[in-house]
Amino acid sequence: MEFFKNISKIKYEGKDSTNPLAFKFYDADKVVAGKPMREHLRFAMSYWHTLTGEGSDPFGTGTMDRPWNELTGMEKSKLRAEVGFELMSKLGIDYFCFHDLDIAPEGNSLKEKQENLDEMVAYIEELMKKTGIKCLWGTTNAFTNSRFMHGASTSPNADVFAYAAAQVKKAMEITMKLGGENYVFWGGREGYETLLNTNTELELDNLGRFLQMAVDYKAKIGFTGQLLIEPKPKEPTKHQYDFDAATVMGFLRKYNLQDHFKLNIEANHATLAMHTFEHELNMSRINGMLGSIDANQGDLLLGWDTDQFPTNIYDATAAMLEVLRNGGIAPGGLNFDSKVRRGSFELEDLFYAYIAGMDTFARGLMIADEMIQEGFFDNFVKERYASYEAGIGKKIVSGEVGFEELEAYALTLEEIKNTSGRQEMLEARFNQYLYK
Amino acid sequence: MEFFKNISKIKYEGKDSTNPLAFKFYDADKVVAGKPMREHLRFAMSYWHTLTGEGSDPFGTGTMDRPWNELTGMEKSKLRAEVGFELMSKLGIDYFCFHDLDIAPEGNSLKEKQENLDEMVAYIEELMKKTGIKCLWGTTNAFTNSRFMHGASTSPNADVFAYAAAQVKKAMEITMKLGGENYVFWGGREGYETLLNTNTELELDNLGRFLQMAVDYKAKIGFTGQLLIEPKPKEPTKHQYDFDAATVMGFLRKYNLQDHFKLNIEANHATLAMHTFEHELNMSRINGMLGSIDANQGDLLLGWDTDQFPTNIYDATAAMLEVLRNGGIAPGGLNFDSKVRRGSFELEDLFYAYIAGMDTFARGLMIADEMIQEGFFDNFVKERYASYEAGIGKKIVSGEVGFEELEAYALTLEEIKNTSGRQEMLEARFNQYLYK
Amino acid sequence: MEFFKNISKIKYEGKDSTNPLAFKFYDADKVVAGKPMREHLRFAMSYWHTLTGEGSDPFGTGTMDRPWNELTGMEKSKLRAEVGFELMSKLGIDYFCFHDLDIAPEGNSLKEKQENLDEMVAYIEELMKKTGIKCLWGTTNAFTNSRFMHGASTSPNADVFAYAAAQVKKAMEITMKLGGENYVFWGGREGYETLLNTNTELELDNLGRFLQMAVDYKAKIGFTGQLLIEPKPKEPTKHQYDFDAATVMGFLRKYNLQDHFKLNIEANHATLAMHTFEHELNMSRINGMLGSIDANQGDLLLGWDTDQFPTNIYDATAAMLEVLRNGGIAPGGLNFDSKVRRGSFELEDLFYAYIAGMDTFARGLMIADEMIQEGFFDNFVKERYASYEAGIGKKIVSGEVGFEELEAYALTLEEIKNTSGRQEMLEARFNQYLYK
Amino acid sequence: MEFFKNISKIKYEGKDSTNPLAFKFYDADKVVAGKPMREHLRFAMSYWHTLTGEGSDPFGTGTMDRPWNELTGMEKSKLRAEVGFELMSKLGIDYFCFHDLDIAPEGNSLKEKQENLDEMVAYIEELMKKTGIKCLWGTTNAFTNSRFMHGASTSPNADVFAYAAAQVKKAMEITMKLGGENYVFWGGREGYETLLNTNTELELDNLGRFLQMAVDYKAKIGFTGQLLIEPKPKEPTKHQYDFDAATVMGFLRKYNLQDHFKLNIEANHATLAMHTFEHELNMSRINGMLGSIDANQGDLLLGWDTDQFPTNIYDATAAMLEVLRNGGIAPGGLNFDSKVRRGSFELEDLFYAYIAGMDTFARGLMIADEMIQEGFFDNFVKERYASYEAGIGKKIVSGEVGFEELEAYALTLEEIKNTSGRQEMLEARFNQYLYK
């Protein structure tokens, strides 16, 4: 059955097309920097925002006009899956990401939940075979149900820890069954509301224990996907333990987990932590920890996770520069953890939104590649730091000198000459690439 | 004498030029929307950031390499003026904006300060004649000197009020003498630090009285320039009375000053008030109060006035849409209230920075004009609100109905049908214009 | 039927009581500043947070353990009402505030909604008679239902405007029937998401028209309550038209509505607008527009409306200083627009939370009264501004001088002498009051 | 010579004193929790804010009325020292903290700077002997001089790295000579402005190398003081590498420096990083890294480092709870990295301000001690996490179970029962302590 009857497969029509249902920049098989765009970008649909989100917010009920609105239970889950795979097929999206709770009804017990999952996994496997669409990553939802009100692996309640463990175990199993290339941990309610009632030390140690168990279980079942942690600084809890990339990397080092996890960086989480998106990507990359990307966009004048579809070309270009310098994002990808605005409630808005996001990143990829090919920025940076490639600088880098040698050297210096950072010139140059 | 010996007049070389000392988009005499770019944009140099700013910040001293660094007194002021006019001439900037304190040494008394100003005004008039450059606006600096520590017209000290009045009187006179087309009020320290020591009621009434005196004096001397108020929410004071456009417009209405003032909207002040730049322009425009623009750019992840040169093409386009819909910005203009970064300390960085800003707004103008010509967005909006052009909507707008009629009408309605806001589609369309 | 069986009427036990179910400071009939505490504070229960809120958030479902969880329809509404009145009775809260949607099911049509309301109003009237509890204010909920996705009186859809009008009409009628002393307008979705699809001018004019209709209808039915507007800067919409007190007061003046409305100031909305709570109260008060208070508390490190029960004694004291200087808050009151944390899910947490809030404001009242009695701060301020009571200052205030006279005066001044603002000394003094 | 002629040694007069030049809570030798207040609090004067700060800000010149205003060079430095030691003596402050640049003129060369330092160190040693006042910590100022415009140890210029090394070497030597108990690293300009011109990887590696050199040199000279890093997220640079406690701890672990450094936590830096003060203290403490405290207070509605004297009793109590749980703060202390407001320009404001800060922390200590003695909060927390002390929880903590055992356990669970977090009740209880 076809749901988007008036919408055929979205085609690339070029930058001058006025067809809102066409790509202006994303040309999946066009080769950029040595491989097809689709292999650079590895776009994924987020199951939750696309298929289970209803458009509700803290001040209003759902608005979304969806074919499954009147259904319940397994029937609803199956219809969502079918619609989702049609959407991906028509958009030419090669991957999807999911929480267990997105794909199957929760049921009345853990056992029922697991059975529902098994049934839906089989159903989705069929759709995957039919369409060739793959699973980028799976995860568990250990934050929506009220039992997680005080956290999951950091809950003060050991039963909740156990329950969350059971959820991750199952979610990892089904991710493996679906051929998922990654498994993600987002610490939904792993944080605290007030220190007055919280033992942060025990909670963080428990989080470390939990992740070690995940590493152990992964080895045991032979899951070869990449494990990812997704930082977020706040919301829903006042303080989330996985505040930002630096915090998570420090945590991993403390608990000796740094060889088992990489990071899943989300643009809107970066800005909620008062960082740019590219900062978080950069910090992850230079630590060898850039694993995957949640592509969306926040509103820097608002203080919550708006999860907008990414349309800012500056941010997309800066992100793709980091991805290219990382040697690519695989086995991760670009998951659109983005939702249509509450007022964009019609089915076709899903297409407009994905097209907007895909075109933005395609354009970002093209510009970033051009920048790297041309070498202008790289050369500027290389020259700026040239003093570390010879003389005293080289000795600093190689560890040949200490404070005493450096003092002796400094005492011989006449006035120190710096060079301009040229920020304005570089920003103007960046702008030129937008119009090429 | 020529100061920028290696820099000739900056020319338009088009978007593919790799010459950093050329315009890529700003082509002063090119006609867009019926008049030359220069008449739309009315670019102005800010005297303070360009000629008196030293690159200091709260954690460091000045860095700027400037030819007047070793001079003092009137000699320094004259050299600054000469360099400034050479800079404007070479950049093709037609206007400048200034504080009294920017152009002449403060002296040791009010009288000396006035004499210094007179001398420098005569000096600058010569430079204006020689170059054809004009004065967009003048203002007084009633915030730097320690006597203004508790405010100027809102100081608890009546002597300070009087002193500030004397300053504005003189500044308005010299602005008039220089042919200034506007006079600006920015309430540098008109605000408070703590309510514990503040009589806000008296302070605000005094601010109203002060502005009324300015209106009276303007009439008396026959100054025909436009009076402008520039909103800013905070910094230097904890709370600035002229918080944002809405606050200032409400204040003007309260004190019956709304026919005598318009607003000077600064991008960075907008975002410090948690508004977008275009929001502040839009609110001013629809109230008939958009007077002039301080063109710069803030960093939304930082909490202070960074006053960066504007290089964001989204913001510049959104701003120029408001300017075009306003029927232009004259007699106001686009004043670059922008400073080179502290690390961009070389003289030529001034050129790079102004070129960056001018090209950004030129490009914004071109895109905005194209958008308006094409009518896509305007048509979308017109259609979205069509229900107010007929039937019940028309009666609402014309005042023919009240709650009773509306209730009677509402009781007859079946389910209400809304249409999608299409934000994602509109944003994607916006992006297409960037690459045209 | 009694729901809180283990909880009797909450009594005042004094500051050393360790009984969590007792007041430590709120002693309802104790006379402070000439009248009983209860008359100063006029505490109100918010129907929505207390009786209809479920503890859901954008990342999780409801958590609250409530006796009506299994019920639906009118039965649920009635049980909520009974529990609410028992809660208020036991807490000694004299008022409640409500939205139409809080007290009765929405039904399947406007007509059914009105009928449901009539039935519940009669039911609630009985409870009011029985308990002596009164209605502080009513309002309509024109934001939760999806028909309001693009706004109510600022919707692009005229049918939605009409529907909202019908809702306000009915809500005003039932508020009048319940003896409500005020009627509140909170512009839930009166704002915009993006200027790309918005006609702000028409929307604001329509908001003005709508409020004028409310004024007209109030006169027609002889409702004598006070009309209030509640500012909020953002959330749910990106930009809310009623941004802050200054914006609303300016709006009212523009549409000539300033004599018909006062403001309902909410602490958390103040801080979301980057103002202190006391700033918003102060600005309203000195403009003669302070009408009522939504007492709660935000988290300044979070960017959304957390609506916490107020427990900060600094804020409560600063607020009560404004209330006392306003000559009281009647006919407004202190409505606890506050919700228990999602993890405070047990019934008794409602008591703990209200006790916390009531004690905090009672303590704030006592301290504020003591401060005013003692006169320390008032004297400091009076002296600080003494220069406006004689000499040149007096002439400024009385309008006897203009710029020319002030310049002449300023030219005669030797160095201007300011006095210290003494902020640290004043803050230390403030602290002393906390421990008295 | 005596400078504060009208001010004698500040005495403890108790909470009801109206003498602004007396302590209301700080009673230095009073024993609390087993030792005198002065030993718990280890108060220090910040040399910079107190003796070299002039009251300038980005919009205004200095305002401070200081006896050294007319002096220059070594004479000025000596007068400052004398005044500072008189101030500390009269306030009963036992420690001071300093940057090299605070105590001696910079001179015209590195050599001259070192000679100036030596002269002033000898001078200060005399004052220390005379008064018994000690040095809490020293540091270098490697951010004010324009040579550090692009950073110090993270500068792209190797000469600057060398120069900074020479500075730290000398500063560590003089700190040692003065008996300093700690040496602090605050990364003033160790950060970046834009990624377009920055090699973050090299810069961070260089920072690691620099700190390793400091560790090596400390060992070489036998300095036994504690090394401290002070986090700050932004300002002056857009992004500071030492963003917050978690970032710094992660950095130290990466470069294997974790055993050589602890953290110096500043309240205002915490809130600029969107954390509470107590969060940063808590994170440091549970990682065994809490070294010292910069006691001040920011304004959460402002986005820059306001460095106000701390007067908030909630924050001070929360901080002292962490200090007591840490077993004290020695060899660190509470350094008032606080400055009087620009409008508090008189000499006596220094006294008012320090008294305000010292009383606030004294009160915080007393309350925190009472809370710990009483055990109410600790018991609540202990009980809340009791499930980890037996059964499945104990097995989780001891590492006896993995995902499989936990799943088996979870499958046996009926509905999971959580307990309320009781935040409101706990906050009310906290408030009760304020009035005791």
Side-chain angles (χ1 to χ4, degrees), chain D residues 331-365:
Chain D
L334 292 190
N335 168 46
F336 287 105
D337 190 359
S338 311
K339 60 184 176 194
V340 287
R341 298 303 82 200
R342 194 172 175 268
S344 301
F345 64 94
E346 296 177 346
L347 266 179
E348 65 198 275
D349 286 306
L350 287 172
F351 279 86
Y352 297 144
Y354 271 98
I355 291 170
M358 293 164 80
D359 268 341
T360 300
F361 270 91
R363 184 75 184 123
L365 167 63

Side-chain angles (χ1 to χ4, degrees), chain A residues 146 200 337 424:
Chain A
S146 69
T200 53
D337 190 359
E424 295 82 2

Side-chain angles (χ1 to χ4, degrees), chain D residues 253-305:
Chain D
R253 286 194 175 99
K254 177 178 176 186
Y255 292 95
N256 203 26
L257 292 162
Q258 70 274 17
D259 297 335
H260 301 288
F261 290 87
K262 290 196 172 177
L263 302 187
N264 185 36
I265 298 299
E266 174 172 331
N268 203 154
H269 293 180
T271 53
L272 283 174
M274 305 303 277
H275 300 301
T276 60
F277 183 21
E278 61 261 34
H279 171 83
E280 288 291 89
L281 294 170
N282 180 278
M283 288 296 126
S284 305
R285 176 177 66 79
I286 67 172
N287 281 282
M289 293 258 196
L290 176 53
S292 196
I293 290 175
D294 265 17
N296 63 15
Q297 164 171 309
D299 184 320
L300 275 68
L301 298 172
L302 300 180
W304 62 92
D305 207 9

Side-chain angles (χ1 to χ4, degrees), chain A residues 62-76:
Chain A
T63 58
M64 294 299 150
D65 183 19
R66 298 290 180 256
W68 54 75
N69 277 353
E70 306 306 317
L71 304 182
T72 57
M74 202 57 82
E75 209 184 352
K76 186 174 198 165

Side-chain angles (χ1 to χ4, degrees), chain B residues 110-111 114 146-150 152-163 165-166 168-170 172-173 192-204 206 209-210 213-214 217 220 234 238-239 241 243-244 246-247 250 253-254 273-276 278-279 282-283 285-287 322 377 380-381 384-388 392-393 396-397 401-404 406-407 409-411 413 416-423 426-427 430, chain C residues 110-111 114 146-150 152-163 165-166 168-170 172-173 192-204 206 209-210 213-214 217 220 234 238-239 241 243-244 246-247 250 253-254 273-276 278-279 282-283 285-287 322 377 380-381 384-388 392-393 396-397 401-404 406-407 409-411 413 416-423 426-427 430:
Chain B
L110 182 52
K111 189 152 175 299
Q114 294 182 343
S146 69
R147 76 174 64 87
F148 300 114
M149 62 168 72
H150 301 309
S153 66
T154 65
S155 171
N157 184 340
D159 283 357
V160 176
F161 184 108
Y163 201 97
V168 172
K169 178 176 174 291
K170 182 69 180 175
M172 199 186 281
E173 290 162 7
Y192 65 82
E193 293 300 319
T194 171
L195 289 176
L196 289 179
N197 66 14
T198 307
N199 182 339
T200 53
E201 191 170 7
L202 176 58
E203 292 201 359
L204 281 160
N206 280 349
R209 288 175 185 117
F210 193 87
M213 291 180 193
Y217 190 66
K220 173 146 196 182
K234 58 183 92 171
K238 175 191 169 36
H239 177 84
Y241 289 129
F243 191 84
D244 60 5
T247 303
R253 287 195 174 97
K254 177 177 178 188
M274 305 302 277
H275 300 301
T276 60
E278 61 261 34
H279 171 83
N282 180 278
M283 288 295 126
R285 177 177 65 80
I286 67 171
N287 281 282
E322 294 295 333
F377 294 109
F380 184 90
V381 171
R384 193 172 184 229
Y385 292 84
S387 67
Y388 288 99
I392 194 72
I396 289 167
V397 168
V401 289
F403 276 3
E404 286 162 302
L406 290 168
E407 181 190 50
Y409 173 83
L411 282 164
L413 288 170
I416 289 179
K417 255 193 96 60
N418 281 301
T419 56
S420 166
R422 294 272 187 267
Q423 183 166 338
L426 296 170
E427 288 176 357
F430 194 111
Chain C
L110 182 52
K111 189 154 174 300
Q114 295 183 342
S146 68
R147 77 174 62 87
F148 299 113
M149 62 167 73
H150 301 309
S153 65
T154 66
S155 171
N157 184 341
D159 283 358
V160 175
F161 184 109
Y163 201 97
V168 172
K169 176 175 175 292
K170 182 70 181 177
M172 199 185 282
E173 289 162 7
Y192 67 79
E193 292 300 318
T194 171
L195 288 177
L196 289 180
N197 66 14
T198 307
N199 182 339
T200 53
E201 192 169 8
L202 176 60
E203 292 201 359
L204 282 161
N206 280 349
R209 288 175 185 118
F210 193 87
M213 290 181 194
Y217 190 67
K220 173 144 195 182
K234 60 183 89 171
K238 175 192 169 34
H239 177 85
Y241 289 128
F243 192 84
D244 61 4
T247 303
R253 287 196 175 97
K254 177 177 178 188
M274 305 302 276
H275 301 300
T276 59
E278 60 262 33
H279 171 83
N282 181 278
M283 287 296 126
R285 175 176 67 79
I286 68 172
N287 281 282
E322 294 295 334
F377 293 109
F380 184 91
V381 171
R384 193 172 184 229
Y385 292 84
S387 67
Y388 289 99
I392 193 72
I396 289 166
V397 168
V401 290
F403 276 3
E404 286 162 302
L406 290 169
E407 182 190 51
Y409 173 84
L411 282 164
L413 287 170
I416 289 179
K417 257 194 96 60
N418 281 302
T419 56
S420 167
R422 294 272 188 267
Q423 183 166 338
L426 296 170
E427 288 176 358
F430 194 112

Side-chain angles (χ1 to χ4, degrees), chain B residues 340-412:
Chain B
V340 287
R341 299 303 82 201
R342 192 171 177 270
S344 301
F345 64 94
E346 295 177 346
L347 266 179
E348 65 198 276
D349 286 307
L350 286 171
F351 279 86
Y352 296 143
Y354 271 98
I355 290 169
M358 293 165 79
D359 267 341
T360 300
F361 269 91
R363 184 75 185 124
L365 167 63
M366 290 160 67
I367 298 174
D369 173 52
E370 212 178 340
M371 284 175 174
I372 289 174
Q373 297 301 325
E374 220 178 274
F376 179 81
F377 294 109
D378 287 340
N379 290 339
F380 184 90
V381 171
K382 194 173 163 48
E383 199 167 319
R384 193 172 184 229
Y385 292 84
S387 67
Y388 288 99
E389 293 181 1
I392 194 72
K394 197 174 177 184
K395 287 183 189 162
I396 289 167
V397 168
S398 64
E400 291 169 57
V401 289
F403 276 3
E404 286 162 302
E405 295 80 5
L406 290 168
E407 181 190 50
Y409 173 83
L411 282 164
T412 69

Side-chain angles (χ1 to χ4, degrees), chain A residues 267-282:
Chain A
N268 203 153
H269 294 179
T271 53
L272 283 173
M274 305 302 276
H275 301 300
T276 60
F277 183 22
E278 60 262 34
H279 171 83
E280 289 289 90
L281 294 170
N282 180 278

